[in-house]
Amino acid sequence: MPARKQSSGTVPPGPEHTRTGLSAETLRQAFLDNLFYIQGRFPEIATDDDRYQALSYTVRDRLLHRWVRTIQAYKERDPRTVCYLSAEYLPGPHLANNLLSLGIVDATREALRGLGLDLDAILDHEEEPGLGNGGLGRLAACFMDSLATLEIPAIGYGIRYEYGIFDQKIQDGWQVETSDTWLHYGNPWEVRRPGICYDVRIGGRTEHVTDEHGRLRVHWRHADLFRGVAYDTPVAGYGVETVNLLRLWRAEAAEDFDFTVFNQGDYVGAVMRKVRSETISKVLYPNDEADSGKRLRLLQQYFFVSCSLQDMLRIFATTGRPLAEFHAKFAAQLNDTHPTIAVAELMRLLVDEHGLDWDEAWQATRHTFAYTNHTLLPEALEKWPLPLFADVLPRHLEIVYEINRRFLDDMRLRYPDDPARIARLSIIDETPPKYVRMAHLASVGGHAINGVAALHTRLLGTTVLKDFHDIWPDKFQNKTNGVTPRRFLMLANPGLADLLTEALGDGWTRDLERLRGLEGLADDPAFQDRWRQAKLIRKAALAERLRAGQGNAIDPASLFDIQAKRIHEYKRQHLNLLHVVTLYNRLKHAPDADVPARTVLFGGKAAPGYAMAKLIIKLINAVAEVVNRDPDMRDRLKVVFVPDYNVKVAQSVYPAADLSEQISTAGMEASGTGNMKFSLNGALTIGTLDGANVEIREAVGPDNFFLFGLDADEAVRTRAAGYRPYALYERDPELRAAVDLIAGGHFAHGDAGLFRPLVDHLLGRDDYLLLADYRAYVDCQDRVADAWRDPARWTRMAILNVARMGRFSSDRAIAEYCRDIWNVAPARVDG
Ligand code: RUG
């Protein structure tokens, strides 16, 4: 790790600098002080949590110092600022990452050792903020890391959910959800800002009046009022002084207590308003859910967007610039359609509240926003039923209508004889009860639209947003996702990180392209040995974790074949299972077959209301139960489900993988980022030509990637040609044997009904083309086994994978957003 110089600047007085010093001795002293003065404990009686809190406050003090200086620098220089609007963030545990950013991992370890304490045990105690569902929220967190590291002025805006993504337990093989109480012990990383709060109105009706200057004014007579209070979390750049801001909003009642109601004797009613208000930021919505609770979700989106825009306007007011220049100060990114109501809200704020005329306001709005699309799945493209929208946001509906009217008038000039196209382009879907199409609002209301991988962007422009691509081809851009090498290599895999630094110097940590220097070492036997050693250590660590947690005994020498991501039919965990059952059948029929030992690991959560995904989890565990205790397997096949997959667990999973399963139906996974994290940690990929797999394969070279299956165009053609999965089942004996074993109840204690819905779907419709890809997948897995038998060949491929992953750093992705969409430049904060 590079040595870090102690910060100068606005250091508070005092010889010890207990709040800023970075030496082991000052850290030790500060830790003890915090244990005493914040936790009210002395070392002998301190609990794990006391120690975690005391250390976190010690680190936070050091961050605050840089944080304040960053704000000062931004205030002085007034740079264009990125505002990342995202309903989800999955930052992962903060403590270790902040130690890394400050360059004080070793000093802290030493300080604690002096007190007889183990840093890793303290780190393990942290409860991570699960404020996201998966890839989209984690991408937002990687982007925040890269923005700070690249010294870009940025604010991440979102929601401070009191309950994040549910905790997953496995009972009798089934997923059971329990609530995530991440705030139970308090959150040392956030600073509540009671002074930064905004009123958010909803419901009611509008009145259109003419003022004394003859101008038409709109008054929104709202029905309800909430307040959003800011909670700030510092986001430190790595190896720089910049500390940016993640500002999350908590909903509170505008007044704590309704005294009118109270005085009438209705004590419960008096607090109801408070309870109702706080509901807005109470819980994160699990994705892949049906329409339940739509109203609350719309409220959540509007709530955080309104607070964020009001906050941006407050900051803007301090610059003294005219409001029509708002877009010169801020570049706001809409992370999916979730924050898209921002387009109408900014128009409302500028026109209704600040008196700009429509054209000026529209000019500012359009130049402020840009939209990232993360999915082509129709069920995930948000559209709000018009009656609901009108009820919650009556003024915004008028604004959306006006935006749409002007837009469609232009389009009619362009396409005078094409009413069908006009209907397709409209922001309003006229199918009863009518809907507001949020992706259309985002496309019209922003100056750029981007997909998250090259294939995804192409498909976006040729399918879901084709009509928009026809009118504004230049608005479309690709920005392939990336991941932060700090968390997902330096923190997750310190052994490999040290080996890389020894071989290449430490420049790769901020310039991942430098990993290319490894290419020359790919065939070096001594380097290969060390590479395998580093991998084995992480595999043994994961094995130990699983043994201690669930009593699973797995062999670190076996091939670790891992699929870890949300459970979804399009991600095809059940295709992986069909392969597992095929291997099982082969070993049953030829118990002496020479197959390399394989441990197939799964991890991931299913949306609570997604029955098929939950059945897939049950099937994984059911197969595991049978396979793992069958003596014929002789430890050559093991199946393990890793429960409660989250960022912390992910950090122990990626480094342990030999094989990364990226097997979604081509055309369905927008990008994927797990695929990048596995490969960056030296796993080889078995995958389809889907999402960013396409670019990963191009980068690492086709010889270093196990490709199988239909591509996106072939998948479309297969469906169009009248796909009949049953015919494939009949034709392929191994496939039939695998399906029959599942259907017959072999993995369900003889209950042939349990997995029937899954089997029926595969044989009847098979929307995700598992059977079409089965043979190619199984044959490809045979090629994987062959490669694994040759350690020198496998290790060479793994080294080349890592060497060529530089492009998939989130630093590269953010640099592209800065250059092509946001037009922002770094603003260095001096030490
Ligand atoms: O499913 C996509 C992933 O393919 C992608 O890598 C990730 C980040 O871009 O976003 C995921 N996603 C899409 N999460 N939610 C959605 C739809 O709202």
Side-chain angles (χ1 to χ4, degrees), residues 135-136 139 336 338 374-375 380 452 481 570 669-673:
L136 175 141
L139 184 77
D336 219 88
H338 317 151
H374 294 264
T375 186
V452 289
N481 286 342
Y570 85 78
E669 185 71 86
S671 163
T673 45

Side-chain angles (χ1 to χ4, degrees), residues 61 126 148 387 464 527 540 637 758:
D61 278 343
E126 182 166 351
V464 173
F527 189 74
L637 183 60
L758 200 146

Side-chain angles (χ1 to χ4, degrees), residues 249-457:
W249 302 102
R250 174 173 190 256
E252 299 185 355
E255 271 179 56
D256 262 3
F257 210 70
D258 190 331
F259 270 101
T260 329
V261 182
F262 186 81
N263 290 335
Q264 289 160 359
D266 180 5
Y267 306 125
V268 176
V271 288
M272 277 317 284
R273 190 192 171 89
K274 178 171 159 64
V275 171
R276 215 153 29 92
S277 307
E278 290 175 0
T279 304
I280 293 183
S281 55
K282 202 57 128 188
V283 59
L284 167 78
Y285 264 88
N287 61 5
D288 307 324
E289 283 289 346
D291 281 359
S292 66
K294 278 234 167 213
R295 184 187 167 90
L296 182 56
R297 187 162 167 84
L298 178 58
L299 280 178
Q300 286 188 336
Q301 296 184 354
Y302 177 60
F303 162 75
F304 100 85
V305 155
S306 178
C307 291
S308 307
L309 288 172
Q310 292 185 65
D311 198 44
M312 288 157 69
L313 283 164
R314 174 189 60 84
I315 296 168
F316 186 76
T318 66
T319 68
R321 299 198 234 171
L323 209 47
E325 286 177 18
F326 184 76
H327 56 285
K329 173 68 183 166
F330 292 115
Q333 193 67 24
L334 304 171
N335 195 27
D336 219 88
T337 49
H338 317 151
T340 295
I341 189 61
V343 172
E345 174 67 351
L346 184 57
M347 286 300 289
R348 186 190 71 79
L349 289 164
L350 294 178
V351 174
D352 293 359
E353 310 243 325
H354 292 273
L356 252 60
D357 70 35
W358 182 278
D359 290 334
E360 250 183 338
W362 185 238
Q363 164 87 355
T365 298
R366 273 194 47 245
H367 287 92
T368 298
F369 293 113
Y371 160 50
T372 304
N373 173 288
H374 294 264
T375 186
L376 304 173
L377 299 187
E379 64 270 28
L381 289 173
E382 287 187 304
K383 44 182 201 170
W384 294 107
L386 208 87
L388 168 65
F389 198 97
D391 190 42
V392 176
L393 300 170
R395 176 60 185 141
H396 296 77
L397 185 59
E398 292 174 350
I399 291 171
V400 168
Y401 274 143
E402 182 59 16
I403 293 171
N404 201 35
R405 186 186 68 75
R406 289 169 183 244
F407 167 58
L408 293 185
D409 278 352
D410 283 352
M411 291 304 112
R412 281 190 200 95
L413 292 180
R414 189 167 173 153
Y415 302 111
D417 305 318
D418 199 348
R421 184 189 287 265
I422 302 299
R424 290 199 308 270
L425 280 166
S426 174
I427 298 172
I428 307 297
D429 175 350
E430 300 288 339
T431 325
K434 297 192 181 179
Y435 297 90
V436 182
R437 295 162 163 159
M438 298 311 270
H440 292 213
L441 181 58
S443 301
V444 176
H447 64 92
I449 302 166
N450 77 281
V452 289
L455 171 66
H456 169 64
T457 302

Side-chain angles (χ1 to χ4, degrees), residues 480-663:
T480 298
N481 286 342
V483 301
T484 169
R486 271 74 65 181
R487 181 174 289 278
F488 290 107
L489 225 174
M490 297 178 78
L491 273 189
N493 203 345
L496 181 59
D498 286 348
L499 186 59
L500 298 177
T501 299
E502 212 179 291
L504 307 168
D506 65 11
W508 64 270
T509 60
R510 300 192 61 210
D511 176 8
L512 205 62
E513 288 286 1
R514 294 206 199 171
L515 291 180
R516 201 167 284 279
L518 288 173
E519 283 187 3
L521 293 164
D523 289 308
D524 178 333
F527 189 74
Q528 282 206 349
D529 253 0
R530 297 190 60 196
W531 188 275
R532 280 190 290 269
Q533 274 307 315
K535 177 61 77 181
L536 196 61
I537 288 172
R538 299 322 300 172
K539 291 169 74 177
L542 180 62
E544 174 51 27
R545 197 183 172 111
L546 294 172
R547 192 200 56 74
Q550 302 157 259
N552 281 303
I554 58 174
D555 177 8
S558 63
L559 191 170
F560 276 21
D561 170 349
I562 309 188
Q563 187 168 16
K565 50 181 77 243
R566 287 294 288 236
I567 311 291
H568 201 294
E569 289 165 275
Y570 85 78
K571 295 180 190 270
R572 301 200 295 191
Q573 281 89 357
H574 44 342
L575 177 59
N576 188 342
L577 277 175
L578 286 176
H579 171 246
V580 170
V581 175
T582 301
L583 284 185
Y584 173 75
N585 279 337
R586 285 181 185 172
L587 286 168
K588 288 302 278 182
H589 292 122
D592 297 323
D594 176 24
V595 301
R598 208 189 261 251
T599 303
V600 184
L601 296 116
F602 294 86
K605 296 178 182 177
Y610 187 177
M612 193 63 94
K614 293 175 105 169
L615 193 59
I616 291 173
I617 293 182
K618 173 66 179 171
L619 181 59
I620 295 170
N621 286 302
V623 170
E625 194 187 326
V626 171
V627 167
N628 294 353
R629 68 179 165 77
D630 189 323
D632 285 345
M633 296 302 109
R634 283 189 237 136
D635 288 337
R636 284 166 303 173
L637 183 60
K638 279 263 159 74
V639 181
V640 176
F641 189 86
V642 183
D644 206 30
Y645 191 66
N646 57 18
V647 179
K648 190 196 267 187
V649 174
Q651 286 177 214
S652 66
V653 165
Y654 296 126
D658 296 306
L659 185 67
S660 153
E661 297 273 353
Q662 305 301 333
I663 60 176

